[in-house]
Structures are given as C-alpha cells and as structure tokens.
Amino acid sequence: MRQLALLVALFAALAVAPIFIHSAVWMNLIIMVLYAALLGQAWNILGGYGGQFSFGHAAFFGTGAYTIAVLQVQLGINPWVGLVAGGMLAMLVAAFIGFSTFRYGLKGSYFALITLAFAEVLRILSNSVPFTGAGVGLLIELNPSAANMQFVDKASYFWLLLAITFIAFLTVWWIGNSRFGAQLMAVRDNEDAARALGVDPFKVKMSAILLSGLFSGLAGCFYAQYFLYLDPSIAYGSSVSVESLLVPIVGGLGTLFGPLFGAIALHTLSEVTRSVIGDLPGASLVLYGILLVLVILFSPRGLSGLINSLTGRVPASKKKEENNG
C-alpha cells in the first residue's frame, strides 16, 4: 500500500503543476516526459514483468495513432470515440501477434524479431494505402474544442495524458500486487517451473501483451491529437520501438516507477544535448546509447536500483534470497 500511496501522491502533485508552470516550453517537456513514461510502462508490462522483449511496439503505437487519425479525417468520427477504438484495435493487433508467437512457444530472440517484422510490415502497408495518406502523411485539421479533443492550452493536453498515464501506472501497481502478476513473473523467471505449478503461460502472456498493446495504442492516439500529423515513419518507425524499450531498461525493468525515472533521464539528456550542440542529427541516439551502456555496466537494475541502493532500500526479491540463505 505504500507504493500505491506514493503513486497517488505523485500524480496528485503533478496534476497541479500547470497552475504554477506557465512556460509553454516547460509544459511541452513535462508532456513529452509523461508520454515517454506511458510508452515505457506499456512495454514494461510485457518486457519487464513478463520477460518478453519486444522490438516492435511501434506496431501497437502506430495502430492506435492511425485509428484515431483516419476515423477523424476520413470518416468524421469524434476523436473521443477514436481514442477508444485506437486502444481496442491496438489490442487486436497485440492479440494477433501474441497468438502467432506464444501459441507455438516462440520466445526470446524469436519473439523480438517477429514483433520487429510486424512493425515493419505495418509501416510498409501504411506507406502504400491511400486512406492513411501514404508517404505524404495524414494531417488532422485544427479545430480546438474539448469535444474535438483539441485544446488551446497545453495544460489540457497534460491533464488528458496524465489521466491515461495514471491508469497505466495503476495497472502496473496492480500487476505487482496480484495473483496475475505473480504468475506473470513466474513465467518470466522459469516458464517450465511455472507450468509445473499449474500456471498457463500462454494465457498469462496473452493477457500481458493485450494490456501492453492497449496502453501503447493509447499513447499513439495521444500523439496523433497532440501533433496533428502522422506518417508511416513516425507511427511505425523504429524510434518508437527503441524509446519504448529504452525507457524502462534505463529506469529499471519490472519496477513501478522505473519507466518514469527513465523518461525523465532520457528527455532531460535530450534537452541538454539540444541546447548545447543544437539539432545535430543522431546526437540524442548516441547519448542514449552511452547512457544505456553506463546503466548496464554500473547499475544493471536501472535507475530504480541505483536509487534503492543510495537510500539503503533492499528489493523484496533480494531480501527473500538473504532470508533463504
């Protein structure tokens, strides 16, 4: 319950941030950190808690983004409806990928490469069909109103994203404290042993990929409404998949607050880099790579593990090992 209280207090504090922050630049930075935390937490459900490393989470993100954009631009359907539809269709794509891999026992590098392939196939398809705007992209008409999920001020976008991100973090807290979460982590640690104890690995992993796909799709929906433009390289590009996995790895795999720490670290680093050397192509990715190497070398449990070490907190798993010893 301590983690839950901390989570609620943190998001409550964040909710009042726009009252004190009036700079559009700072609000945009906070929004992008939250957006990255949502992406990272979505990946963390499957990769951190489930041990299924995906290299193609852009497949879910892009599906959500294009769903809300296409429904709005091509069919005139309200984006609030598109938000729900985007999350559901992203889950459908996740279900297809999950069934195609988990049913036949594919995992590890096979699963990673298959998710990467699916994202690339969807990128090629979206680059070919006319209703997505193909290579030209899809521009969403600006029509600011709450009913149209378009806002004049960044604070409203922030509160919308904060609500979605809070639900994602609340879901991960539930996973960490539920029977389902215990089963998911058992499958991650030793699938054969979990099966011997009566856990159905296929069912557990399918549930995890559905939740992961849902929140990735919702992140895509928000991105489309915030930037009002999509093209295949944005929606299904490798940069989305890289950010999705990099954030929780840097922050701490299989932890509640790890994706938030990772998002803060990566976007702060990105802004500092931009202010020092400008918009040099690839500079941020180089620094991301350096940060990842440093984290793996000196803090394998990510920034969460480093913070726990500095504060003298011992992870529950380590305490259990010490007690058994």
Side-chain angles (χ1 to χ4, degrees):
M1 294 303 293
R2 181 181 177 183
Q3 271 196 334
L4 179 60
L6 183 58
L7 180 66
V8 172
L10 174 62
F11 276 82
L14 286 173
V16 300
I19 298 174
F20 304 99
I21 300 174
H22 303 290
S23 168
V25 174
W26 278 103
M27 280 306 304
N28 184 69
L29 176 60
I30 295 172
I31 286 171
M32 294 314 296
V33 167
L34 266 183
Y35 156 78
L38 175 59
L39 266 183
Q41 197 65 281
W43 191 94
N44 193 37
I45 293 172
L46 183 64
Y49 286 88
Q52 310 302 312
F53 277 42
S54 163
F55 286 176
H57 255 55
F60 314 139
F61 173 90
T63 298
Y66 265 121
T67 297
I68 193 172
V70 169
L71 289 179
Q72 191 174 175
V73 174
Q74 308 290 14
L75 301 176
I77 295 177
N78 186 277
W80 291 103
V81 177
L83 180 70
V84 176
M88 294 299 103
L89 279 179
M91 286 181 72
L92 187 61
V93 171
F96 181 77
I97 294 175
F99 186 86
S100 303
T101 53
F102 300 146
R103 172 56 68 185
Y104 301 101
L106 298 177
K107 54 187 177 181
S109 57
Y110 295 104
F111 176 74
L113 291 174
I114 287 172
T115 55
L116 178 62
F118 267 106
E120 184 62 15
V121 166
L122 289 173
R123 186 191 67 79
I124 294 170
L125 287 175
S126 63
N127 205 27
S128 306
V129 294
F131 64 84
T132 63
V136 178
L138 201 60
L139 184 65
I140 301 174
E141 183 181 353
L142 180 63
N143 183 20
S145 71
N148 202 37
M149 206 193 291
Q150 294 180 10
F151 311 102
V152 176
D153 60 325
K154 291 187 180 295
S156 298
Y157 281 108
F158 168 78
W159 283 317
L160 171 62
L161 178 60
L162 187 71
I164 298 172
T165 307
F166 177 66
I167 294 171
F169 273 72
L170 198 60
T171 301
V172 170
W173 173 82
W174 169 77
I175 288 173
N177 295 274
S178 67
R179 180 182 177 84
F180 166 72
Q183 292 175 339
L184 182 61
M185 287 182 276
V187 170
R188 175 195 65 190
D189 295 338
N190 191 320
E191 188 170 321
D192 293 331
R195 186 182 289 108
L197 292 172
V199 176
D200 184 349
F202 173 73
K203 181 179 178 181
V204 169
K205 289 189 287 188
M206 280 298 295
S207 299
I209 199 171
L210 288 175
L211 285 172
S212 188
L214 170 64
F215 289 117
S216 292
L218 292 177
C221 290
F222 174 82
Y223 184 97
Q225 285 302 112
Y226 187 63
F227 291 101
L228 301 177
Y229 175 77
L230 282 177
D231 67 29
S233 63
I234 292 174
Y236 292 114
S238 59
S239 60
V240 173
S241 297
V242 169
E243 186 170 14
S244 296
L245 64 90
L246 199 57
V247 164
I249 289 176
V250 169
L253 284 174
T255 62
L256 177 59
F257 294 106
L260 182 59
F261 296 146
I264 293 171
L266 291 177
H267 277 274
T268 300
L269 181 63
S270 178
E271 288 301 315
V272 170
T273 303
R274 187 176 293 112
S275 64
V276 173
I277 62 177
D279 293 321
L280 182 65
S284 293
L285 290 177
V286 171
L287 289 176
Y288 287 174
I290 293 172
L291 178 61
L292 179 61
V293 170
L294 291 175
V295 168
I296 291 173
L297 287 175
F298 299 106
S299 183
R301 290 185 287 116
L303 295 178
S304 291
L306 180 61
I307 291 170
N308 286 337
S309 298
L310 293 175
T311 56
R313 292 182 59 193
V314 180
S317 58
K318 193 170 181 181
K319 284 183 180 178
K320 187 176 179 181
E321 290 175 5
E322 291 175 353
N323 291 336
N324 290 338

